[in-house]
Amino acid sequence: MSVMVAVTDSAEGQNALEAAYAEAQRLGTDLVVVNLRLSALDVSEAPEGLRLEVVDRRARRNTAEAVLDALAERSGSVERLVIGVRRRSPVGKAVLGSLSQELLMEADVPILAVKLPRPAKDGKGGTDREDARGGTAGAGASG
């Protein structure tokens, strides 16, 4: 079994990659990194000993199709998909980003949707809330 992550060229994509490193380690599985950028992806920060495979998107290919095809190619071997989502205003919550929305609707595996930490009002950073392990518990797609 493995964890798969969709990595876009954004802060949300980098956050999803970091969350996927942790999730794969927690589950003791391999990590399949679907690079949706049109440039090379730096995975040098991957935890030592983590087995990973990088799948690059071909130019001009729909990003959601690239992820869904990678899932289909590994049918039955991916136990979780990790995606990054943007925080939305109350009005924007009605519509997720098109990639996130399509993956949430079409992927046949459980999805871990991660958000960037919310900036604290004092400017020092912060999170939605802390879970029992001390990590960010902002894994919902409602943000």
Side-chain angles (χ1 to χ4, degrees):
M1 297 301 276
S2 59
V3 169
M4 181 178 285
V5 60
V7 182
T8 58
D9 194 12
S10 66
E12 292 82 9
Q14 185 62 36
N15 194 46
L17 180 60
E18 291 167 11
Y21 289 155
E23 190 70 2
Q25 282 191 304
R26 186 180 74 77
L27 296 173
T29 66
D30 298 354
L31 178 62
V32 178
V33 180
V34 182
N35 178 18
L36 299 175
R37 302 171 179 187
L38 294 178
S39 59
L41 180 64
D42 179 12
V43 292
S44 63
E45 298 294 319
E48 192 166 324
L50 179 64
R51 296 175 313 272
L52 61 91
E53 171 190 2
V54 176
V55 178
D56 289 311
R57 171 176 74 114
R58 294 186 301 272
R60 296 187 182 148
R61 186 165 187 206
N62 175 291
T63 54
E65 284 179 11
V67 177
L68 294 170
D69 287 350
L71 280 170
E73 290 168 9
R74 292 159 183 80
S75 181
S77 68
V78 175
E79 64 182 288
R80 186 155 305 134
L81 174 63
V82 180
I83 62 172
V85 295
R86 289 193 173 107
R87 291 190 174 278
R88 300 286 180 180
S89 68
V91 172
K93 286 183 181 181
V95 180
L96 289 171
S98 59
L99 174 61
S100 300
Q101 185 171 349
E102 189 165 349
L103 292 175
L104 285 166
M105 298 302 290
E106 299 297 328
D108 291 330
V109 297
I111 295 177
L112 173 61
V114 295
K115 298 183 282 189
L116 290 172
R118 182 184 313 272
K121 292 182 179 168
D122 63 6
K124 294 181 182 176
T127 60
D128 286 339
R129 64 182 191 274
E130 296 293 313
D131 70 8
R133 295 180 310 250
T136 303
S142 64

